[in-house]
Amino acid sequence: MDRDRLLETFKNIEVTDKTAVELYKEISSACMDEIMGESGKTPERCAYYFSVEYLMGRMFFNNLLALGVLNEAREIFARKGFDLNAFEDVEDAALGNGGLGRLAACYLDSAANGGYPLYGFGIRYKYGLFRQKIVEGEQVEEADDWLKTWGDPWSVRREDENVEVKFADMTVTAVPYDMPIYGKSVNILRLFQAEGSEEAEKISEYLYPADDTEEGKILRIRQEYFFSAAAVGQLVKRYVKQYGRNFSHFPEQHVFQLNDTHAVFAVAEFLRLLTKEYRLTLPHAVEIAKQTFNYTNHTILPEALECWDSKLVEKVLPEIAHILTRLHLLAKREWNACGYPKEETAEMSIVRGGKFSMANVAVYISGRVNGVAEIHTKILKERLFTAAYGHAPEKFLNVTNGVTQRRWLMLCNEELANFYDTRLGHGWRKNLPAIEEIACDDGDALAAFARIKETKKAQLAAYIEKREGITLLPDAVYIAQVKRLHEYKRQFMTALAILRIYFDLKEGKLPDFTPAVFIFGAKAAGSYKRAKEIILFLNKIAELIANDAEVNGKLQVVFVQNYDVSYAEKIVAGSDVSLQVSTAGFEASGTGNMKLMMNGAVTVGTMDGANIEIVEKAGKENNYIFGATVEEINALGGKYDPVKFAEEHPRIKQVTDTLTDGTFGDADGKLKDLASSLFEETYNRADHYYVLYDLLPLVDALLKVDEEYKDRTLFVKKQLFNATHAAFFSSDRAIRTYAEKIWKI
Ligand code: 26V
């Protein structure tokens, strides 16, 4: 790529009489010309990432940074009187709902930057994850028509590579849109758009359509098969053109990574093609598949482990249902021949209770199965896939997640990046572990870092003011909990802890309390009622505190609307404290925890997911670990009785009473339902997530933070230590591990 030529093009772009949208398209397309000029032919061996989510966020600034022209571009256009920050209004490409999708985006970034040939496949949804508004404390969802205003100058439609995808009742055209990912190599994210009849086009309309009806389930199955089959079909066809029907070289050239179970139909489609179209025997096709596929698990929540009713699959994809059934029998025979006990073969079975277990297909077929943090992989081995692990321990490995420092440090915290440049030179930009060289007890470094934190906090405050119309308390510690809204993540527990602090303040028990601002950002899945009730509760607490003159100078709660990648960029850079308080054993890894750490936030967290590795690198003494461990929770067994527990702890009871005593009014029973989740058996056991059990330890941890924050030097030192010990959590390291241990690319 010719940097000077690109800058020359920028200089020649006329800005007068052009709208921001026109300029956006013109500048982007100049970049695209350079990038596409670079995307050459694909190497012999490539890795392919299959994911139903990609949370790319805003590509503009990222790509200009990758091209090495961001600062010059800012200057060039500023001189013409145009501020590139106008493009902060460009919609995020939010084709994902959380950690799994953002991880995919970070991995594409790191692969390109490391020069690893990794190509992504997914769906080009017409609407991304809904846009969220808060109206009277409640979440309101609006369609995210992300292409409407700014279009998508970062993708190229490739009709010459269309694929036909066949269902029992219709044939759909999968039209590829290629988004280049620029780095040392130029890789491609290929998203398929469904075209054809009105029914066909529904397939790529929405991300995760509700699957509580049969119709919804069918649509989900169609989506998953649609992009998997398009991708596999294309790759197999290209291979056959070169090698004919001898598939023995296929695994030498292709390695597939299933990002969770959403693309497991790719396995079935692969076997279908090889057996039906190319006449291999099933055992032979399975042998090839076993050398090609790998699977990453991202959750142990039973409700998220996909099982599709075999009758439904039969209805829309009869050949696929048939091949999965044959695969089931073949696997059974294999296990029986090995003499495995019945309970174990039942646990590993592909067909279970009339359903296809997509995870069991993935585990059976995959050469490698990985979890996303040490503790999570341990749980996969010991609890989720016990039998499979027992019989093939060599299959299982851990690859702890990572995040890209290009977006989550260089782009969102230019000030911190400059700080590293000043002290270390530019080398760290290609080799993140170099930041460990910063001396965290050096007075100058600490003072400089403290100033940067203040700057980033002020920027965040200004942004929140602009977006939410809320002025943050001055001289406060900023404490952030930003992530999907889920019961296991326990935003509810944080809410109760804040109420506890509120009462303590009112009762005069905290005379030296440093002002604290709690910042929440979270979307609740449209059909997840209880998650929405938690959002309401948080907003009610925010309002109660804001209207109480006795405490509103000391405590503040802000629930930001429409939390997304771009909002995250502001929040991770501008927070002092990162809340990672999931019930131990439930958060597979977390990646927000890494982003906040990388920007120098200390963690208040449980021993769960990657938090464990975070404190291993940055020291328990520099973070605030609290709460029950996995072992403690297991040891509690059925002995934990939350009703009794609350009775025994008046400090708990006082806050949980607010859910039912009218403190917040509750005509529609939403807060009462939250109380039920604690004290009654509903769809889960009473207090299934140990919210009350860990509540007072959380309060203590927060009060300790508040106390220690007063000693600014001490606290900033902890922050800097975290920031400079975050290199392990770079997705460059994670991708290198995948490349070396799994992909062999
Ligand atoms: C949950 C739900 C629930 C409601 C509707 C749609 C939906 C879709 C997906 C999921 C969870 C999928 C798994 C997932 O996102 N896991 C996250 O993966 C991250 C990357 O590995 C990891 O850091 C998080 O801990 C894990 O929760």
Side-chain angles (χ1 to χ4, degrees), residues 511-692:
D512 299 321
F513 191 77
T514 309
V517 177
F518 285 85
I519 300 164
F520 292 92
K523 289 182 182 177
S527 56
Y528 192 173
K529 263 185 62 198
R530 201 164 273 164
K532 291 181 161 178
E533 292 163 2
I534 295 170
I535 292 182
L536 175 66
F537 187 43
L538 284 166
N539 283 305
K540 290 280 179 192
I541 294 173
E543 188 184 300
L544 173 81
I545 294 172
N547 292 332
D548 187 332
E550 247 175 18
V551 291
N552 64 12
K554 290 265 172 186
L555 192 59
Q556 187 176 32
V557 176
V558 181
F559 188 99
V560 305
Q561 304 175 81
N562 202 45
Y563 174 67
D564 59 5
V565 172
S566 293
Y567 223 135
E569 290 170 17
K570 312 276 183 196
I571 295 173
V572 302
S575 295
D576 293 302
V577 182
S578 157
L579 281 176
Q580 309 296 338
V581 302
S582 54
T583 316
F586 282 91
E587 189 68 274
S589 162
T591 45
N593 47 2
M594 303 170 183
K595 295 162 196 164
L596 281 147
M597 176 201 196
M598 201 173 264
N599 285 276
V602 299
T603 298
V604 169
T606 48
M607 285 299 256
D608 196 21
N611 298 352
I612 297 174
E613 291 156 75
I614 286 179
V615 297
E616 210 175 279
K617 310 287 175 201
K620 269 199 174 175
E621 69 285 3
N622 294 313
N623 291 286
Y624 302 81
I625 293 298
F626 74 96
T629 60
V630 167
E631 292 74 26
E632 282 163 12
I633 286 175
N634 288 343
L636 272 178
K639 284 185 299 231
Y640 171 56
D641 175 353
V643 177
K644 203 161 141 239
F645 197 78
E647 290 299 336
E648 287 165 1
H649 295 85
R651 282 170 58 75
I652 293 180
K653 190 155 184 314
Q654 188 185 9
V655 294
T656 55
D657 278 351
T658 64
L659 292 164
T660 48
D661 69 6
T663 302
F664 301 103
D666 188 24
D668 42 15
K670 288 182 175 132
L671 302 179
K672 198 159 161 269
D673 178 66
L674 287 181
S676 305
S677 79
L678 296 174
F679 298 122
E680 291 164 33
E681 184 164 329
T682 55
Y683 49 83
N684 279 320
R685 278 173 301 136
D687 198 10
H688 182 59
Y689 295 105
Y690 298 86
V691 164
L692 300 185

Side-chain angles (χ1 to χ4, degrees), residues 52-53 97-104 107 208 211 220 259-260 262 296-299 301 303-304 371-372 376 401 484-486 488-489 524-528 586-594 609-610:
V52 79
E53 296 187 31
N97 97 120
L100 173 146
R102 183 54 230 179
L103 186 78
Y107 281 2
Y208 294 120
D211 67 350
R220 287 276 288 273
N259 195 28
D260 226 295
H262 311 122
T296 307
N297 173 284
H298 295 268
T299 180
L301 284 180
E303 60 269 33
V372 291
H376 170 61
N401 283 166
R484 273 188 295 130
L485 204 313
H486 200 289
Y488 83 77
K489 295 179 186 279
S527 56
Y528 192 173
F586 282 91
E587 189 68 274
S589 162
T591 45
N593 47 2
M594 303 170 183

Side-chain angles (χ1 to χ4, degrees), residues 99 102-104 106-107 110 372 399-405 408 589-591 594-595 598 727-735 738:
R102 183 54 230 179
L103 186 78
C106 284
Y107 281 2
S110 282
V372 291
V399 186
T400 297
N401 283 166
V403 302
T404 170
Q405 68 272 21
W408 299 109
S589 162
T591 45
M594 303 170 183
K595 295 162 196 164
M598 201 173 264
F728 179 78
F729 302 103
S730 162
S731 43
D732 293 358
R733 183 269 313 154
I735 279 295
Y738 277 98

